[in-house]
Amino acid sequence: MTDASLPTGGAKPQSGSLTTVDARTKKRNAAEKRFRAYGVAAISTGILFLIVLLFSIVTSGIGAFQQTFITVPVYLDEAKLDKKGNRNIDDIKKVSTFGYNPLIQKAVLKSVQDAGIETPLTKSKQMKALISASAAGQVRAAVIDNPALIGQTVEFKFLASSRVDGYLKDRVKREHLARDKNIDAEHLDIVDGLQDAGVLAKTFNPAFIFGADASESRAEQAGIGVAMLGSLFMMFVVLFLALPLGVAASIYLEEFAPKNRLTDLIEVNISNLAAVPSIVFGILGLAVFIQFMHLPQSAPLVGGLVLTLMTLPTIIISTRASLKSVPPSIRDAALGVGASKMQSVFHHVLPLAAPGILTGTIIGLAQALGETAPLLLIGMVGYIASNAPDGIASGLLDPNSAMPAQIYEWAKRADPAYYERAWGGIIILLVFLISMNTLAVILRRRFERRW
């Protein structure tokens, strides 16, 4: 051995152990811990914001599922409703809702007096502020359906006015009555007395879920049910058009189309269409389907066609990704045993890609369900549909609204009761969206295969 084998300068070689953590390793481990802490903090912040959002939505909208009702016995005076006394339905129909209002107001005043409520409001017309404007129509419809009720005292359950309902929901404050021309402190005193007497109570309101929209003066009567049907018919149009077209286009582009500049251009444009703002599709639908093709404005059919155009790129992209995820060996094995190209695709590749296709389709439908801007441009907003569609043709072609458009319309109305209903509509819309996304996850887990 020579001196050349020793370290330069005569220094001894450094010795260490694998279990010894040097300063550089400590610094690296500390950086890793900080990164993990940042990740946990980011996730925790996101969950916190989600909880705050859900709490705000639920607390602001849960009141829409409850409504204040007032139960009073109404004497259906024959002298007012059937002056001839012959129970002729044509004569009874001639009595408008204005003829029923005095009977209802008189019944409410009698209920106030029977409850022993002391009030300076002694005229029946002064009870108008307590009940909904829909009460007269409710009684008139009952009389027309059963003329034998005339001359009897019948108990009705009326919607209270939006101000009375807001008072019980702590939305209307006594200190703000000076700026409210629709109700005053004496009416609120009556409300307290009727509530103690059990005549007036706040209960579950199924009409909000199954009913139709109402005019701005009848906020307490408004419901989202007919708009839900409008969204349902639109989703049917999107499903039956976007799914076959999107899957067929994806199969051709992924499995059969030659790789050239034309297909590259098509693929780039599909990706770009997926990022186009939805309001652009609304302008396209207005120009093509309404102004050029003269389809009925505000119809769910037109809304479904517009949403189909918007959803197609999403379905095509997700379907192509699902087809790519199928291993090439599946195709090679099918071709190796004598199957044609089409047989290998439709008998082997497509069934294996079905979970991803279903997932992409449901997510696309969920996205279309929540779109508002395209529907505004084709007029599916601000329309008050009084009755549910009576068939498939009526549901597709009759003017209607949709859930997101209905929520938008309620949010911009002046009455605070509509603001509460907008939050309630958001709750229903979120239930549908969460259900659709949950279904997508379940289907993917159910049919997914691993290689």
Side-chain angles (χ1 to χ4, degrees):
M1 179 182 291
T2 64
D3 294 336
S5 62
L6 296 173
T8 305
K12 294 181 179 181
Q14 296 181 355
S15 60
S17 173
L18 293 176
T19 60
T20 303
V21 181
D22 56 13
R24 186 174 181 181
T25 303
K26 291 181 179 179
K27 185 177 180 181
R28 189 169 58 221
N29 292 342
E32 183 178 348
K33 290 181 180 180
R34 286 196 302 271
F35 181 76
R36 289 181 178 179
Y38 295 153
V40 172
I43 294 175
S44 301
T45 304
I47 293 175
L48 177 62
F49 279 118
L50 178 61
I51 293 174
V52 171
L53 175 63
L54 292 177
F55 179 78
S56 300
I57 292 175
V58 172
T59 54
S60 300
I62 195 66
F65 297 90
Q66 290 184 317
Q67 197 67 33
T68 304
F69 291 88
I70 177 170
T71 305
V72 293
V74 180
Y75 174 64
L76 303 177
D77 191 356
E78 183 177 6
K80 297 286 186 180
L81 307 180
D82 188 14
K83 296 180 180 180
K84 296 181 181 180
N86 54 11
R87 299 297 187 269
N88 187 301
I89 191 65
D90 293 329
D91 293 335
I92 294 173
K93 287 182 178 180
K94 291 180 181 179
V95 181
S96 66
T97 55
F98 294 102
Y100 288 84
N101 280 323
L103 303 179
I104 297 172
Q105 294 163 8
K106 185 178 180 180
V108 175
L109 179 60
K110 187 176 184 302
S111 297
V112 172
Q113 294 171 346
D114 291 344
I117 302 172
E118 296 182 1
T119 175
L121 305 178
T122 57
K123 296 181 179 180
S124 59
K125 289 184 178 181
Q126 294 173 318
M127 301 295 107
K128 181 180 179 181
L130 298 178
I131 55 177
S132 169
S134 64
Q138 179 182 343
V139 178
R140 183 175 184 270
V143 170
I144 292 176
D145 290 340
N146 186 10
L149 296 177
I150 297 177
Q152 302 180 24
T153 299
V154 182
E155 188 173 86
F156 287 93
K157 189 176 182 181
F158 298 126
L159 284 167
S161 66
S162 63
R163 292 299 193 274
V164 172
D165 181 65
Y167 174 65
L168 293 187
K169 294 177 180 177
D170 205 30
R171 190 174 63 238
V172 175
K173 307 285 187 179
R174 285 182 177 266
E175 54 267 25
H176 300 155
L177 292 179
R179 301 193 300 268
D180 196 333
K181 298 181 180 179
N182 298 297
I183 202 168
D184 51 34
E186 287 77 12
H187 288 108
L188 298 186
D189 293 335
I190 294 176
V191 170
D192 292 335
L194 291 177
Q195 187 178 18
D196 295 337
V199 177
L200 185 145
K202 186 173 61 174
T203 60
F204 176 69
N205 181 27
F208 172 70
I209 303 176
F210 303 107
D213 190 17
S215 63
E216 291 200 32
S217 62
R218 301 182 181 183
E220 65 282 347
Q221 191 183 4
I224 200 172
V226 177
M228 289 169 60
L229 292 176
S231 291
L232 179 64
F233 280 104
M234 284 196 306
M235 291 302 102
F236 282 148
V237 174
V238 175
L239 179 63
F240 288 114
L241 291 180
L243 180 59
L245 290 176
V247 173
S250 303
I251 292 174
Y252 176 75
L253 290 174
E254 190 63 33
E255 303 290 343
F256 296 98
K259 303 301 179 183
N260 52 35
R261 292 185 177 180
L262 178 60
T263 55
D264 290 342
L265 180 63
I266 293 174
E267 292 177 3
V268 169
N269 282 308
I270 290 174
S271 300
N272 289 336
L273 285 174
V276 170
S278 59
I279 196 169
V280 176
F281 291 99
I283 297 174
L284 176 64
L286 176 64
V288 175
F289 299 128
I290 294 179
Q291 295 180 350
F292 178 73
M293 298 179 63
H294 301 291
L295 293 177
Q297 190 175 2
S298 304
L301 174 62
V302 179
L305 292 173
V306 172
L307 295 179
T308 296
L309 296 177
M310 192 191 71
T311 309
L312 266 177
T314 302
I315 295 179
I316 292 174
I317 292 173
S318 62
T319 301
R320 292 193 64 186
S322 300
L323 294 173
K324 286 181 181 179
S325 66
V326 178
S329 58
I330 301 294
R331 299 172 177 83
D332 296 338
L335 295 174
V337 296
S340 66
K341 177 69 173 177
M342 181 171 291
Q343 287 175 329
S344 68
V345 171
F346 285 93
H347 294 176
H348 301 279
V349 177
L350 191 59
L352 295 175
I357 296 174
L358 290 175
T359 302
T361 301
I362 295 174
I363 292 175
L365 289 174
Q367 178 189 1
L369 181 65
E371 286 295 337
T372 306
L375 306 181
L376 300 182
L377 292 179
I378 62 172
M380 293 191 69
V381 63
Y383 180 80
I384 301 175
S386 57
N387 296 310
D390 56 2
I392 296 178
S394 175
L396 292 174
L397 300 176
D398 288 350
N400 202 340
S401 186
M403 281 193 289
Q406 188 67 75
I407 292 169
Y408 168 81
E409 176 68 14
W410 284 345
K412 70 185 184 70
R413 290 181 181 176
D415 195 321
Y418 277 118
Y419 185 71
E420 178 185 70
R421 273 166 164 68
W423 284 104
I426 290 173
I427 293 177
I428 295 178
L429 184 60
L430 283 179
V431 169
F432 276 92
L433 295 177
I434 293 173
S435 301
M436 294 176 72
N437 282 276
T438 303
L439 179 62
V441 173
I442 293 174
L443 290 175
R444 189 174 186 87
R445 294 278 183 92
R446 173 66 177 80
F447 297 106
E448 188 175 24
R449 295 187 181 182
R450 299 183 183 274
W451 293 276

